[in-house]
Amino acid sequence: TSHMEESLHSRLIEAVQTLGRGLEVSILAGASLRYQALRILFPHEKDVLLVDATRPLPEIALVRKGVLIAVSETSQSVSSDNEAGPGDLMNGLTTIAKSYPLPHTILLLARTERLRSSVGILNALHYDAFGRVDSPPRIIPLVAGTMKSVVRVATTESPDLPLLLMALYYQYLEQRP
């Protein structure tokens, strides 16, 4: 998701700009957008794993000293029910842990209906395989409902967390001098 041919990039920008005059269009990779938005919400969290469990397959990003330095995207589930399972998360964590020590804090992005199972999966993983034997990680869950205080939602439908993160990032850009 982080690589796009230059000609496709240009055509996408042109197509979106034709929808509205004066729109400033930028294209960000999903991991980068989540990092930018979560940095706004949690500026004090400098060493953290961002676990996106809102999608069928998880994406894990590592932030060290406030900088996004590694991303692990799962391309195919190892579980049979077509939803992210312990094996998928363990594979993503293993990929990152091969090159970097894992931080103690996890920001978990999850759909409200899957929050409990996602936290349960993260709590059940064997972190000692990554040299984390001192204590289990601190998991900070983030669901769409928790974003309502920072992003105005103009619908009665259940908001979509990735769209709320986009709105938060755009709102932040608009407020910058």
Side-chain angles (χ1 to χ4, degrees):
T1 61
S2 60
H3 175 75
M4 182 183 298
E5 293 291 329
E6 189 173 332
S7 62
L8 176 60
H9 181 271
S10 298
R11 288 192 310 237
L12 279 171
I13 297 286
E14 289 171 12
V16 172
Q17 286 176 331
T18 62
L19 297 175
R21 304 282 183 243
L23 287 177
E24 183 180 329
V25 180
S26 62
I27 297 178
L28 289 174
S32 178
L33 173 67
R34 285 185 291 280
Y35 161 69
Q36 298 287 346
L38 293 173
R39 192 172 69 167
I40 296 164
L41 286 174
F42 301 97
H44 56 284
E45 296 293 345
K46 302 294 185 192
D47 296 315
V48 67
L49 280 171
L50 307 177
V51 176
D52 183 357
T54 62
R55 309 157 1 136
L57 297 173
E59 184 174 281
I60 302 171
L62 174 64
V63 176
R64 278 272 187 236
K65 297 181 181 175
V67 177
L68 178 65
I69 61 170
V71 177
S72 173
E73 295 178 306
T74 304
S75 60
Q76 184 174 356
S77 179
V78 296
S79 67
S80 58
D81 63 359
N82 209 20
E83 285 194 16
D88 298 315
L89 288 168
M90 197 67 166
N91 285 347
L93 292 170
T94 300
T95 299
I96 291 175
K98 286 178 186 175
S99 301
Y100 306 97
L102 299 180
H104 187 70
T105 303
I106 296 174
L107 289 176
L108 171 65
L109 286 76
R111 299 201 180 280
T112 304
E113 65 274 7
R114 300 253 320 128
L115 178 62
R116 179 172 277 175
S117 64
S118 296
V119 169
I121 289 169
L122 285 171
N123 280 327
L125 292 178
H126 298 283
Y127 293 95
D128 54 341
F130 310 115
R132 298 252 14 152
V133 293
D134 53 345
S135 62
R138 178 174 64 124
I139 300 170
I140 301 171
L142 184 65
V143 294
T146 60
M147 297 276 300
K148 289 181 181 178
S149 64
V150 292
V151 177
R152 187 173 67 88
V153 178
T155 179
T156 58
E157 296 294 318
S158 178
D160 181 71
L161 184 56
L163 287 175
L164 288 174
L165 292 174
M166 282 187 247
L168 175 65
Y169 179 63
Y170 180 74
Q171 180 178 291
Y172 171 77
L173 291 177
E174 287 291 305
Q175 293 173 354
R176 284 190 337 191

